[in-house]
Amino acid sequence: MAAANDATIPTPRPRRSPAWTPARLGVYGFLMVAALFFLLPLYVMLVTSVKPMEEIRLGTLFALPQHMTLEPWTQAWSTACTGLECNGIRGGFWNSVAIVVPSTILSIAIGAVNGYALSFWRPRGAGVLFAILMMGAFIPVQVMIYPLVRVLASVNLFSSLPGIIIIHTIFGMPVMTLLFRNYYAALPMELFKAARIDGGGFWRIFLQLMLPMSTPVIVVAVIMQVTGIWNDFLLGLVFAGSEHLPMTVQLNNIINTTTGERLYNVNMAATILTSIVPLALYFISGRWFVRGIASGAVKG
């Protein structure tokens, strides 16, 4: 009888929270404003880059193009003037590729070895060495430009491709060391001890055990280094030399070079071309970046 009475008692339903609370409205409002803040300039650049100059002169900044054209993109890539030369921004693109690829590989490789040694082998004075590396990460770049110019000039590497690669490797090494050290410090020490018992040495443990486990943090490091080096302007301007100027410096030269009428559509197209590589990298490997962060890449 009691069981029957219990069965007839209705189960109270959980109270639903109101669909649109002031807090939720505030969050959505903030997100929409933030999205507009970043997307509006991109929209203006895209729209302007496919408009002929006749439409741009009308002052309709936000209007869609009536006669879409890709001629500004072709001109920005191959014929826009960067000072006295009118070869477009394509030369700067390949210069940036030649700078970014070896600089990223070298800085990540050195940072990974440093982080591995500081986390597991811990040589004498490891704390002091790590503190010195971290000091290098927080010293402003502008403070070290002149001494580095003198050093590179003394070894005949100033204004050369190897010189700018060395510079980016040096400036990327402290952050990469911190990144890999914190990642390896989160791994179980038992793995390292077991490898040592099995007779593994420094390089064998690193190459066969630690490096295959480092995919998440390597993806994070690649994204950080590629975007940082690709978007760099100051170091490329000072150390690359006139024959190896990166894409950002070439973009500045295109925008500041005026022969008669200022071609805003060409400038906008060149700006988008310069930013395509970092944007594509984030879109393609964004989920790997989040996964690397979540797996402990920046812990510690």
Side-chain angles (χ1 to χ4, degrees):
M1 186 70 179
N5 292 335
D6 292 340
T8 58
I9 297 175
T11 303
R13 295 181 179 179
R15 295 181 59 185
R16 292 184 178 181
S17 59
W20 296 102
T21 61
R24 183 172 295 182
L25 288 173
V27 170
Y28 279 107
F30 172 78
L31 293 176
M32 290 179 64
V33 172
L36 286 174
F37 180 80
F38 289 103
L39 292 178
L40 192 59
L42 180 60
Y43 168 79
V44 172
M45 285 193 297
L46 283 172
V47 169
T48 305
S49 67
V50 293
K51 285 182 179 179
M53 284 302 300
E54 291 77 10
E55 294 185 26
I56 296 176
R57 294 192 198 98
L58 299 176
T60 54
L61 185 63
F62 299 101
L64 293 173
Q66 298 178 1
H67 302 88
M68 185 179 297
T69 176
L70 295 178
E71 179 61 27
W73 289 72
T74 304
Q75 188 173 349
W77 178 255
S78 57
T79 62
C81 294
T82 57
L84 298 178
E85 298 182 357
C86 295
N87 298 321
I89 207 169
R90 58 183 175 183
F93 173 82
W94 295 114
N95 289 341
S96 292
V97 171
I99 294 170
V100 166
V101 172
S103 301
T104 300
I105 294 174
L106 288 174
S107 58
I108 291 177
I110 296 174
V113 174
N114 288 343
Y116 160 68
L118 293 172
S119 299
F120 293 105
W121 291 88
R122 298 173 185 173
R124 182 177 300 177
V128 176
L129 292 174
F130 184 67
I132 294 173
L133 284 173
M134 290 305 99
M135 287 177 59
F138 294 104
I139 296 177
V141 175
Q142 294 82 355
V143 175
M144 294 184 280
I145 285 181
Y146 181 70
L148 288 172
V149 168
R150 298 287 296 178
V151 170
L152 290 181
S154 65
V155 294
N156 297 322
L157 288 177
F158 181 66
S159 295
S160 66
L161 184 60
I164 185 62
I165 291 173
I166 291 173
I167 292 298
H168 281 301
T169 302
I170 291 173
F171 280 107
M173 186 172 58
V175 176
M176 293 297 102
T177 300
L178 175 64
L179 195 67
F180 280 92
R181 176 188 175 274
N182 291 342
Y183 182 80
Y184 290 139
L187 297 177
M189 181 62 71
E190 288 74 14
L191 289 174
F192 174 74
K193 292 181 179 179
R196 290 288 292 154
I197 292 173
D198 290 339
F202 183 92
W203 290 109
R204 184 180 178 186
I205 295 175
F206 175 70
L207 295 174
Q208 296 184 5
L209 179 63
M210 296 301 167
L211 204 58
M213 298 173 59
S214 305
T215 301
V217 70
I218 289 175
V219 173
V220 174
V222 168
I223 293 176
M224 292 178 61
Q225 284 299 96
V226 170
T227 54
I229 297 172
W230 189 276
N231 293 330
D232 168 70
F233 174 81
L234 181 60
L235 296 178
L237 178 65
V238 175
F239 294 99
S242 58
E243 297 181 0
H244 308 286
L245 291 177
M247 206 172 186
T248 50
V249 179
Q250 295 281 34
L251 173 64
N252 178 74
N253 294 340
I254 287 177
I255 293 175
N256 291 324
T257 300
T258 304
T259 55
E261 183 181 28
R262 185 176 292 274
L263 302 176
Y264 294 102
N265 50 1
V266 176
N267 294 345
M268 293 299 181
T271 303
I272 297 173
L273 287 171
T274 304
S275 62
I276 277 181
V277 170
L279 288 175
L281 185 63
Y282 273 115
F283 281 120
I284 294 172
S285 56
R287 65 190 184 103
W288 287 94
F289 182 83
V290 175
R291 187 176 302 176
I293 295 293
S295 64
V298 293
K299 288 183 180 179

